[in-house]
Amino acid sequence: MTRRSITDEDGVENLVEYLIITGVLLVLLVITMFSVNAVFMEGPANKLTYHAFVDIGNGLSTRIVDIYVIAPGNGAIETKFDIPDDVAGQDYAVEMDDERGGDQVIVISRGTTTNRIAIAGIGATMGVTGNTTGSGINRLVYNSSGVS
């Protein structure tokens, strides 16, 4: 049996090996963290945002149609309502817009996510204008004279 003596080079060799392996593992950990964020956090948040915007747009469309149905021939009507203040922790904007075919839609948007929800059946007979955000109490106003 031969005995090998431990030298200074052996200690440095072990330290360098440890540092290289640790560095490679840290780089892989950082890459994994970015991938996990995109796949497991941003994807579901975007899907939640899309479906929440659809629900908000459908609710607004229903409220607008309800106002149209009970609107007086001569006079005004106003209603106040609340929509979610934020979706997935962020604000959003709501606008009324005209489509190319003359139909009116509710556009709900934030950043790159935009949903367009048709106003059920009244787009051709009554013009709807305005915009809002999710914060605070919102209101719908109908005035037969066209002035609000």
Side-chain angles (χ1 to χ4, degrees):
M1 276 202 249
T2 57
R3 287 188 119 172
R4 190 173 157 251
S5 63
I6 298 176
T7 63
D8 289 342
E9 289 80 24
D10 292 334
V12 171
E13 181 180 304
N14 287 337
L15 177 65
V16 169
E17 179 183 0
Y18 174 77
L19 289 175
I20 289 173
I21 290 173
T22 303
V24 168
L25 290 177
L26 281 174
V27 168
L28 291 175
L29 178 67
V30 168
I31 291 170
T32 303
M33 292 300 288
F34 286 126
S35 298
V36 164
N37 184 38
V39 171
F40 293 116
M41 297 178 96
E42 289 178 15
N46 290 340
K47 187 175 252 192
L48 167 78
T49 300
Y50 173 80
H51 289 291
F53 284 177
V54 168
D55 290 342
I56 292 167
N58 287 335
L60 286 173
S61 175
T62 301
R63 287 181 180 99
I64 291 169
V65 170
D66 289 347
I67 289 288
Y68 174 73
V69 168
I70 63 172
N74 189 11
I77 188 169
E78 176 181 341
T79 183
K80 294 181 181 178
F81 62 94
D82 192 22
I83 55 178
D85 290 341
D86 58 20
V87 173
Q90 296 179 351
D91 293 334
Y92 59 94
V94 179
E95 276 185 79
M96 303 303 152
D97 194 15
D98 291 328
E99 288 280 291
R100 292 181 190 171
D103 293 333
Q104 291 193 326
V105 293
I106 300 170
V107 180
I108 304 174
S109 62
R110 173 183 67 211
T112 59
T113 305
T114 301
N115 284 19
R116 302 175 80 78
I117 309 296
I119 298 176
I122 67 165
T125 59
M126 179 180 288
V128 179
T129 61
N131 57 32
T132 188
T133 62
S135 60
I137 300 295
N138 304 289
R139 67 186 187 123
L140 287 172
V141 178
Y142 168 80
N143 192 333
S144 61
S145 67
V147 180
S148 58

